[in-house]
Amino acid sequence: MTCVKTVAALAATTALVVGGFIAAAPASAITAGQLTGSAVFLGDSYASGNAAGAYDTASGDCHRSANAYPVVWKAAYPGVRGQSFACSGATTANVLSAAAPEATVAAALGSATQVTITVGGNDIGFPQAVTQCLLGSDAECDDYLRTTTTTLVAALPAKLDALYARINALAPNASVEVVGYPRLFDASATSCSLWSVAKRQAMNAMSDRLSDAVAARAAAAGFVYRDVRGDFTGHGICSSAPWIVDAGTGATWEWLHPNAAGHARIAALLAAPQHPVEVSASGGRLKVAMTRELHASANRVIIWVNGAYAGETYRGSTYYGSVSARRNTVEVVPSATVKAGDRVQVGIVPGVPGNSYPSPGSVSLLADTQVDSVYSATLTGDGHLAVVLSNALFSSANQTTFYVNGTYHGATNRGTAYYLSGWYGGDGVHLTTSDGGFKHGDRVTVTVGSQTVMDRVL
């Protein structure tokens, strides 16, 4: 790897002048209402929101909170349909029926594009372990965790495999995220009134065994695993800013569960909804990947290359191109060939396929980009924006500017990166913003010169 040349930030700014050019303000190409899809949340008390407060009384003993991560995530994406079936006390055996009839949950999963689940803690006797360690001696706590809990952890993988197989079958078109469990205690705390050092170490070790088992089976099922342990470091019980509620605070069913701040952090770790359209190119062939929902919809979706009609989709049919499908994506390959620098636009057009081909400037655009320019824009685990550019674009005289929520956060021009750091790779130039604090739901816009080449939600 070779480091790219960078220029450090000298002062906060919202625009950068390079070679006499002032970066244009970002354009808006995608509305929240166009981020469609259906998200289903499943899980136990760590997903329903025990200890997060503001409980929905209609959820009864499921204790679903308005501050739980499913609700927080959904609020960031109002265009996405979402439903939580999380319920306090759920296990791998009943997580699909604990909050609603299984047929209702199965129907929701059948149309889901995203599924998120946290489960396994009750299978290993989490409430019982807490009671034993809270009331027992150090030796009794350790003995219980090494015998009873260890036996239950050993039986967990088979239970998870069975559940994950059912989710795969019930939600064939959904991406699945499995959320793990945090360590409960701050390992660095010098004192902790109800918990000895030995008990804290033993229970954190139990949490690790649980999370490791869940992570391994999630990977085996082909699911994405979200490990929250690193994010909760420094926020356990007895820390200066705890995200876990200690015993003795609130109702007993709230003890040793994440509070609202913890749930907010978990929500930020979850993937953003699948973008309706992603554009890429390889060997002169244009590829437009769109959600199954968009491809099958009654929306007429047209593809333009340099302003000229290149194909369209409507009600599951593709015109002037070929298609291939994977889990929740239909990849459309128009007949037209493309080259680096070509402008590709994809938009929703009123009406039905016919002889009317409006210009891209007159419709609602889902994508507006250049071929072989900005490959990706993602969120790092610590809240920075990471982008990958083509080597040609990075070295060119075109200024490439990055905005988050309409505010400038870096630029490149003639091989120099401003307010960014990164490295060259075989697949392009990898850059990360100096500024952080970004989250899923923030909007990233990338301009090349005066043209917007990316406008999407992280």
Side-chain angles (χ1 to χ4, degrees):
M1 301 178 185
T2 304
C3 290
V4 300
K5 181 180 179 183
T6 63
V7 175
L10 297 179
T13 181
T14 57
L16 180 69
V17 181
V18 178
F21 174 74
I22 302 178
S28 177
I30 300 164
T31 66
Q34 291 166 339
L35 282 172
T36 55
S38 177
V40 173
F41 296 88
L42 304 168
D44 55 25
S45 54
Y46 271 63
S48 66
N50 286 26
Y55 303 107
D56 177 7
T57 56
S59 70
D61 289 340
C62 285
H63 301 306
R64 281 193 291 276
S65 166
N67 299 317
Y69 74 75
V71 181
V72 175
W73 183 93
K74 175 63 180 67
Y77 305 105
V80 180
R81 300 180 302 279
Q83 191 167 5
S84 174
F85 296 103
C87 189
S88 179
T91 65
T92 54
N94 68 4
V95 70
L96 298 179
S97 59
E102 188 164 337
T104 300
V105 179
L109 290 173
S111 61
T113 55
Q114 292 177 260
V115 175
T116 306
I117 183 168
T118 303
V119 74
N122 290 315
D123 290 79
I124 70 163
F126 173 77
Q128 294 80 6
V130 170
T131 300
Q132 289 290 331
C133 288
L134 179 61
L135 302 179
S137 65
D138 289 358
E140 289 170 332
C141 173
D142 183 66
D143 181 67
Y144 186 88
L145 296 178
R146 284 191 299 104
T147 55
T148 303
T149 304
T150 297
T151 300
L152 293 172
V153 170
L156 182 60
K159 296 178 180 181
L160 290 172
D161 286 347
L163 172 63
Y164 293 165
R166 291 203 65 202
I167 291 174
N168 253 327
L170 291 171
N173 298 322
S175 59
V176 182
E177 290 181 281
V178 177
V179 179
Y181 294 87
R183 297 185 185 98
L184 299 172
F185 299 94
D186 183 0
S188 64
T190 57
S191 63
C192 197
S193 59
L194 298 176
W195 308 95
S196 67
V197 172
K199 288 181 179 180
R200 283 181 276 153
Q201 290 176 340
M203 294 197 71
N204 278 352
M206 177 199 70
S207 296
D208 282 339
R209 291 197 298 274
L210 170 61
S211 291
D212 291 344
V214 173
R217 303 331 301 161
F223 298 162
V224 174
Y225 178 70
R226 300 296 179 190
D227 193 336
V228 304
R229 287 173 289 185
D231 291 86
F232 273 70
T233 298
H235 296 286
I237 292 171
C238 292
S239 68
S240 59
W243 290 351
I244 306 286
V245 171
D246 196 0
T249 301
T252 55
W253 48 265
E254 294 179 304
W255 295 358
L256 279 73
H257 285 81
N259 60 19
H263 276 274
R265 183 55 190 160
I266 294 172
L269 296 175
L270 301 181
Q274 181 181 352
H275 201 267
V277 169
E278 297 282 0
V279 176
S280 62
S282 177
R285 304 302 299 176
L286 175 64
K287 299 177 182 179
V288 179
M290 61 180 67
T291 61
R292 283 178 178 268
E293 183 179 40
L294 179 62
H295 186 261
S297 73
N299 292 304
R300 185 185 182 194
V301 182
I302 290 184
I303 303 166
W304 295 269
V305 176
N306 297 325
Y309 174 90
E312 63 184 288
T313 69
Y314 181 73
R315 291 188 181 275
S317 295
T318 299
Y319 301 84
Y320 303 101
S322 61
V323 298
S324 60
R326 50 187 186 271
R327 192 171 184 100
N328 188 38
T329 302
V330 175
E331 186 174 83
V332 177
V333 181
S335 303
T337 58
V338 293
K339 63 183 184 303
D342 282 348
R343 185 176 187 178
V344 179
Q345 294 162 293
V346 183
I348 294 177
V349 176
V352 299
N355 295 322
S356 173
Y357 305 117
S359 68
S362 63
V363 303
S364 176
L365 290 177
L366 295 171
D368 186 352
T369 187
Q370 286 183 343
V371 173
D372 195 25
S373 58
V374 182
Y375 295 145
S376 66
T378 57
L379 188 67
T380 66
D382 57 354
H384 293 258
L385 174 66
V387 293
V388 182
L389 312 181
S390 69
N391 287 278
L393 178 60
F394 181 72
S395 302
S396 75
N398 293 313
Q399 179 176 315
T400 303
T401 311
F402 308 96
Y403 302 88
V404 178
N405 297 329
T407 301
Y408 168 88
H409 285 285
T412 69
N413 185 263
R414 298 182 186 274
T416 298
Y418 299 84
Y419 304 89
L420 302 157
S421 61
W423 48 276
Y424 288 103
D427 57 345
V429 180
H430 296 245
L431 299 169
T432 303
T433 58
S434 301
D435 295 331
F438 307 133
K439 63 186 183 303
H440 290 302
D442 287 344
R443 184 177 214 87
V444 57
T445 307
V446 183
T447 62
V448 176
S450 60
Q451 179 186 336
T452 298
V453 298
M454 178 178 286
D455 187 5
R456 61 168 299 177
V457 174
L458 287 169

